[in-house]
Amino acid sequence: MTREEKSQVIQDLTAQLADTSTIYLADISGLDAATTSNLRRACFKANVQLAVVKNTLLSKAMEASDKDFGELPDVLKGNTSMLIAEAANAPAKVIKEFRKKSKDRPLLKGAYVEEAVYIGDEQLDALVNIKSKEELIGDIITLLQSPAKNVVSALQSGGGKLSGILKTLSEK
């Protein structure tokens, strides 16, 4: 790879890092071609981009980026695959689901999600439980609707009770 090609790859990676808020770094070494192909299919179905990257080029792209990746460049050793997605927990779900079929791969090295840095494979369960923006908005709307539903319900049931009492009194 020539110096110009490396520079272009770094620029492309920097642009990609600037455009997304969810980046996962995983180790998929040890997977055979068929298993890797299945992983790529699973990522495609979940709307996750999977790309194998060179550690030094990704490290330079992280340095050139405006974002603070914290300790994430330190995990760039060995084989590294970068998973990028819109939903914060989509790559974690893909990794967790894929592990049920294949051994312990892919192995999570680290993740950058909405300005938070997660290091190590033990963070996978926490990343799976992160709610997406749409899920959080849905939860907020549900919480906001709940008091209104209670008031309407109380008014409706109260009206029924009141008419029942008046009916009983009028019959006596």
Side-chain angles (χ1 to χ4, degrees), residues 61-78:
M62 285 180 173
E63 288 174 15
S65 176
D66 295 337
K67 297 179 180 176
D68 179 24
F69 290 101
E71 300 172 10
L72 212 51
D74 297 339
V75 300
L76 295 174
K77 294 176 181 70

Side-chain angles (χ1 to χ4, degrees), residues 22-34:
T22 304
I23 301 158
Y24 283 65
L25 301 176
D27 180 4
I28 62 169
S29 64
L31 297 179
D32 60 8

Side-chain angles (χ1 to χ4, degrees), residues 12-94:
D12 293 344
L13 283 172
T14 304
Q16 215 172 12
L17 293 175
D19 291 343
T20 186
S21 60
T22 304
I23 301 158
Y24 283 65
L25 301 176
D27 180 4
I28 62 169
S29 64
L31 297 179
D32 60 8
T35 310
T36 304
S37 181
N38 290 338
L39 176 61
R40 288 184 183 277
R41 278 191 202 96
C43 287
F44 181 77
K45 286 179 184 174
N47 201 19
V48 175
Q49 288 180 321
L50 173 68
V52 177
V53 293
K54 291 183 93 32
N55 292 333
T56 53
L57 299 180
L58 182 58
S59 178
K60 289 180 181 181
M62 285 180 173
E63 288 174 15
S65 176
D66 295 337
K67 297 179 180 176
D68 179 24
F69 290 101
E71 300 172 10
L72 212 51
D74 297 339
V75 300
L76 295 174
K77 294 176 181 70
N79 290 348
T80 303
S81 297
M82 185 170 67
L83 293 98
I84 297 176
E86 292 291 321
N89 61 357
K93 287 182 178 180
V94 169

Side-chain angles (χ1 to χ4, degrees), residues 81-133:
S81 297
M82 185 170 67
L83 293 98
I84 297 176
E86 292 291 321
N89 61 357
K93 287 182 178 180
V94 169
I95 291 171
K96 190 161 185 137
E97 188 63 32
F98 198 77
R99 279 191 186 175
K100 293 177 182 175
K101 299 174 200 152
S102 70
K103 314 165 215 160
D104 291 335
R105 299 283 182 210
L107 184 70
L108 180 68
K109 289 182 169 187
Y112 175 84
V113 179
E114 302 287 340
E115 299 179 7
V117 177
Y118 299 86
I119 304 292
D121 194 56
E122 60 276 356
Q123 300 291 330
L124 187 63
D125 289 328
L127 289 165
V128 168
N129 294 327
I130 290 177
K131 291 191 176 191
S132 68
K133 183 178 180 180

